[in-house]
Amino acid sequence: MSARQQPNLDLARRMANAIRMLAVDAVEAANSGHPGAPMGMADIAEVLWNRHLRHNPANPAWCDRDRFVLSNGHGSMLLYALLHLTGYDLSMDDLRQFRRLHSKTAGHPEVGVTPGVETTTGPLGQGLANAVGMALAEKLLAQEFNRPGHDIVDHHTYVFLGDGCLMEGISHEVCSLAGTLRLSKLIALYDDNGISIDGHVQGWFTDDTPRRFSAYGWHVVTVDGHDPSLIHAALQRARSVAAQAEGKPTLICCKTVIGKGAPNKQGSHDVHGAALGAAEVQATREALGWTAAPFEIPADIAAAWNATERGCAQETQWLQRLAAYRESFPAQAAEFERRMAGELPEGFADSLPALVAALGQRSDAVATRKASQLALDAMAPKLPEIFGGSADLTSSNLTNFKGCTTAGPNAAGRFTGGNHMSYGVREFGMAAIMNGLALHGGFLPYGGTFLAFSDYSRNAVRMAALMKLQVVHVFTHDSIGLGEDGPTHQPVEHVPSLRIIPGLDVWRPADALETAVAWAHALQRRDGPTALALSRQNLPQLGDASRAAAIQRGGYVLSDMEDAQAVIIATGSEATLAMQAQTALAAEGIATRVVSMPCTHLFDRQDTAWQDAVLPPALPAVAVEAAHPDFWRKFVGRTGRVVGMATFGESAPAKDLYAHFGITAARVADEVRALVHPRPRVRAGADVETA
């Protein structure tokens, strides 16, 4: 064994205590935070980060680094301490600013804010799911790019997790799938301390976790989480299992004491989520034999922790392998580097207008879910990084495309790469795994389910928006238009509620051309996720391809009339109703403008001149959408009207439902008439006033 594998145990103990005391001092200074997990997991962290983790503090973006995820993100000071100690651009002053406004050390780790943080964690279980996505990305890329003697993709994904992560249902979704996919380079270390916020978990969490994960198909080990030798041996064994041709993911169950080192509070929920207090901090210093002042690290400990030299050497070795690979396989190397840089293929953006225009030439009625598949047929083959899937609804969501190949175990149980996968009935897990794929790099993921089931995946959708990840959610069966499946499957509040997630572009296209533009926009967007709300029922084409540029602005004039007296705003299938209402009103001499607004977020980002040109402030407006009406008040104002529905649906054919709920061209026309020719109304005991 090397010296790195045979550490001075006293030095290892002091290195772990450095983590403990930085966590104690930071939480105490902030008078806020969670010292228990960092103190309890310090020994595990020391072994992993000092003896196993391949990373380079000088280059946190090195693409063949091991990924480390702190799924129990409330213990964020554990990660911040590790990043500071190993040499990342995270100063002691940054640690002193823990949980302060605009600091690099937020209450929970945030990707893009703190160097070395791989994903934003906090909602329990999602970090674990992100790690599954990262391990999947590594496996897919390795199969695609590695060649005999040239393993340019060869890294592990490590994840720390706690009881809370395992109690969350998403852990079942993703860990079951990880076992099926044999994601052997995924190594999870479970902080088995038996404590959560309410106290000892034995009253509400008595699962046999090792047997649970064995049933998933994982390799499972149980160790004393405070014995460095046993932790090291377990990690070695996990890496050995990962190296096998058809290995398994590994769970290392580490029995720990929460808050270890705090003599009067360790092992209790008192140390879980609150500062220790001055007296207990002093008692902890004495118990650990820690004599350094707050936020000070002894020189020998600081030197032992610094990993920059080792990390630079590891990256240099990899760069040499990449250079040899590039010499032998120049085309593959160029493609690998492009994808890991997150750049679109050369000429892809330039080809999109023609692809969009081709779909805009269709004259037949087509459901927008089918239009989405047609867009994928045209665009996906030109985008090797695209990785699609569905939560057991591929034939309904139509997320597969011509020439796509299936990723997953083959008939012999061996994993084979591809660009489309069935996630099974795991909407939440799918969405969070997609986030992990995007975070890892090399992939542009999308996944499908019914819009009504976006509630299952919502928090992962929110996390994608928070992290500004490029992922695409294909939500089909977007309204009562799906018909007989009834109110359990008919979304009413879902599109409006998705629209209020900051940074999520929600598209509800009205025809094939708008759908193609939505996909083109999603594939080029780099600053956040996209959701597509797509119809089950066929919708007519509403115009030719000359609309494409206007559609790209989120809202545009679909049909206009001279001296229009009102505006009708519509999305999705209801744009057809708006056009029918316009025709009926024109026969009566009432001129209207029809505005299609497939993406309200994009319209909101336009300049005032465009917004006012599309929706003249002086014109009254009626909005129509087969969804909850409240969202549209911002566009129609207090005097405008909204045709929508604020009740759940019914089970019946779509045509009958639209009539039953009054979402019809006739109803839209009535609302316009009421605005253009208001009838007088009388207040009791008051003068007559116009409506």
Side-chain angles (χ1 to χ4, degrees):
M1 285 187 175
S2 68
R4 188 181 174 207
Q5 294 173 320
Q6 292 180 320
N8 178 312
L9 292 180
D10 180 66
L11 179 62
R13 177 184 59 81
R14 294 174 63 220
M15 291 172 71
N17 286 343
I19 297 172
R20 292 186 171 99
M21 292 314 304
L22 284 175
V24 166
D25 291 339
V27 172
E28 197 69 21
N31 194 30
S32 174
H34 298 75
M39 298 175 75
M41 297 194 79
D43 298 305
I44 306 166
E46 183 277 323
V47 174
L48 174 62
W49 280 65
N50 196 40
R51 288 191 259 173
H52 292 271
L53 196 71
R54 292 173 64 251
H55 63 116
N56 183 6
N59 181 16
W62 168 33
C63 64
D64 201 44
R65 68 192 180 278
D66 288 340
R67 270 55 170 186
F68 174 80
V69 174
L70 184 70
S71 188
N72 46 342
H74 55 272
S76 56
M77 267 309 304
L78 172 64
L79 181 52
Y80 298 149
L82 288 164
L83 294 172
H84 168 76
L85 290 167
T86 54
Y88 286 80
D89 183 19
L90 195 69
S91 69
M92 193 65 82
D93 283 341
D94 291 323
L95 301 192
R96 291 189 180 96
Q97 293 300 308
F98 178 56
R99 288 182 168 236
R100 307 292 184 184
L101 184 65
H102 302 316
S103 74
K104 289 184 180 180
T105 47
H108 293 83
E110 295 184 30
V111 69
V113 172
T114 312
V117 171
E118 299 283 5
T119 180
T120 299
T121 55
L124 292 175
Q126 285 199 61
L128 173 59
N130 296 162
V132 171
M134 294 174 188
L136 174 60
E138 193 275 345
K139 189 155 192 166
L140 289 166
L141 288 169
Q143 285 207 355
E144 183 173 356
F145 288 102
N146 287 353
R147 298 292 185 273
H150 295 276
D151 290 340
I152 59 164
V153 181
D154 184 15
H155 54 268
H156 293 77
T157 299
Y158 297 96
V159 54
F160 281 4
L161 60 135
D163 290 305
C165 295
L166 294 180
M167 283 187 265
E168 289 286 1
I170 192 174
S171 69
H172 167 71
E173 293 185 29
V174 301
C175 293
S176 168
L177 184 59
T180 297
L181 298 178
R182 294 183 174 270
L183 300 181
S184 57
K185 289 187 177 178
L186 173 64
I187 301 174
L189 295 105
Y190 164 37
D191 181 25
D192 184 10
N193 60 42
I195 297 291
S196 63
I197 290 176
D198 280 353
H200 291 273
V201 302
Q202 61 196 25
W204 50 87
F205 183 55
T206 57
D207 296 12
D208 188 334
T209 297
R211 291 180 68 184
R212 170 186 165 187
F213 274 76
S214 292
Y216 290 151
W218 287 51
H219 167 66
V220 182
V221 183
T222 299
V223 300
D224 179 346
H226 300 299
D227 187 324
S229 297
L230 294 179
I231 298 165
H232 172 60
L235 284 166
Q236 281 188 311
R237 175 60 180 152
R239 291 164 63 92
S240 174
V241 169
Q244 297 172 16
E246 290 300 321
K248 302 177 178 181
T250 293
L251 176 71
I252 303 175
C253 299
C254 303
K255 298 294 292 185
T256 62
V257 177
I258 191 171
K260 184 172 177 59
N264 302 305
K265 293 188 175 182
Q266 66 180 17
S268 75
H269 73 280
D270 293 336
V271 76
H272 183 283
L276 298 183
E280 188 69 2
V281 170
Q282 182 57 39
T284 301
R285 282 186 141 73
E286 293 172 1
L288 296 179
W290 191 263
T291 58
F295 295 105
E296 287 188 7
I297 302 296
D300 63 327
I301 299 299
W305 262 117
N306 193 288
T308 302
E309 182 178 350
R310 182 172 71 241
C312 286
Q314 290 172 336
E315 183 177 359
T316 296
Q317 292 172 0
W318 178 80
L319 288 171
Q320 291 170 349
R321 297 203 309 272
L322 179 62
Y325 179 83
R326 189 183 297 114
E327 184 173 344
S328 298
F329 307 98
Q332 290 85 346
E335 176 66 7
F336 173 76
E337 291 177 287
R338 176 192 71 77
R339 284 174 55 174
M340 295 308 296
E343 299 172 354
L344 288 171
E346 185 176 355
F348 178 77
D350 293 337
S351 71
L352 285 175
L355 299 177
V356 168
L359 289 169
Q361 300 302 321
R362 296 184 65 93
S363 59
D364 56 323
V366 60
T368 53
R369 63 168 176 165
K370 180 61 179 178
S372 169
Q373 186 179 49
L374 294 172
L376 285 168
D377 286 344
M379 300 174 189
K382 300 177 182 295
L383 201 61
E385 56 265 51
I386 203 162
F387 187 84
S390 174
D392 201 46
L393 289 169
T394 300
S395 61
S396 292
N397 300 147
L398 304 183
T399 52
N400 54 345
F401 55 90
K402 290 180 180 178
C404 71
T405 54
T406 300
N410 60 20
R414 290 181 174 274
F415 181 90
T416 57
N419 52 14
H420 189 277
M421 189 171 79
S422 176
Y423 287 89
V425 187
R426 300 181 175 100
E427 296 89 354
F428 192 7
M430 175 182 69
I433 287 171
M434 285 160 53
N435 290 348
L437 286 162
L439 287 159
H440 180 279
F443 292 97
L444 196 168
Y446 70 90
T449 188
F450 289 165
L451 179 58
F453 302 154
S454 64
D455 283 341
Y456 282 136
S457 55
R458 185 182 178 88
N459 201 263
V461 176
R462 180 181 186 270
M463 294 302 294
L466 180 62
M467 293 187 276
K468 301 181 178 180
L469 301 180
Q470 186 183 19
V471 298
V472 183
H473 295 274
V474 179
F475 295 131
T476 69
H477 296 58
D478 68 341
S479 69
I480 56 173
L482 68 89
E484 292 85 349
D485 275 344
T488 60
H489 286 52
Q490 291 166 3
V492 175
E493 76 280 19
H494 297 77
V495 166
S497 69
L498 288 170
R499 286 184 180 131
I500 64 175
I501 297 178
L504 174 67
D505 278 0
V506 179
W507 287 79
R508 188 165 182 254
D511 64 4
L513 180 63
E514 288 190 1
T515 307
V517 172
W519 263 112
H521 182 268
L523 295 177
Q524 295 177 92
R525 189 182 183 208
R526 288 290 184 268
D527 60 352
T530 300
L532 309 179
L534 306 173
S535 74
R536 176 181 183 269
Q537 70 272 35
N538 290 338
L539 303 178
Q541 193 81 328
L542 298 177
D544 61 30
S546 64
R547 295 177 289 142
I551 295 169
Q552 292 171 21
R553 305 189 76 161
Y556 68 102
V557 178
L558 174 61
S559 177
D560 207 5
M561 300 181 70
E562 188 175 354
D563 298 326
Q565 297 167 267
V567 177
I568 306 172
I569 311 169
T571 75
S573 49
E574 289 72 68
T576 301
L577 302 181
M579 295 287 282
Q580 292 169 352
Q582 182 190 52
T583 300
L585 290 165
E588 304 170 18
I590 300 175
T592 58
R593 166 182 290 185
V594 174
V595 168
S596 179
M597 198 174 292
C599 184
T600 60
H601 301 90
L602 199 50
F603 184 75
D604 286 341
R605 296 199 292 269
Q606 303 307 307
D607 56 42
T608 302
W610 179 266
Q611 293 173 351
D612 288 349
V614 173
L615 298 177
L619 286 183
V622 173
V624 54
E625 185 173 59
H628 199 286
D630 284 0
F631 173 84
W632 290 102
R633 302 296 176 190
K634 63 181 283 189
F635 291 107
V636 303
R638 293 179 62 189
T639 60
R641 306 295 181 92
V642 183
V643 176
M645 54 186 295
T647 66
F648 293 114
E650 296 279 355
S651 178
K655 183 178 179 181
D656 296 343
L657 290 171
Y658 273 92
H660 174 73
F661 289 106
I663 304 173
T664 63
R667 168 80 182 283
V668 173
D670 284 343
E671 297 297 345
V672 172
R673 292 187 194 99
L675 290 179
V676 174
H677 302 303
R679 295 187 298 270
R681 66 185 182 190
V682 179
R683 287 181 177 174
D687 293 335
V688 175
E689 67 176 17
T690 56

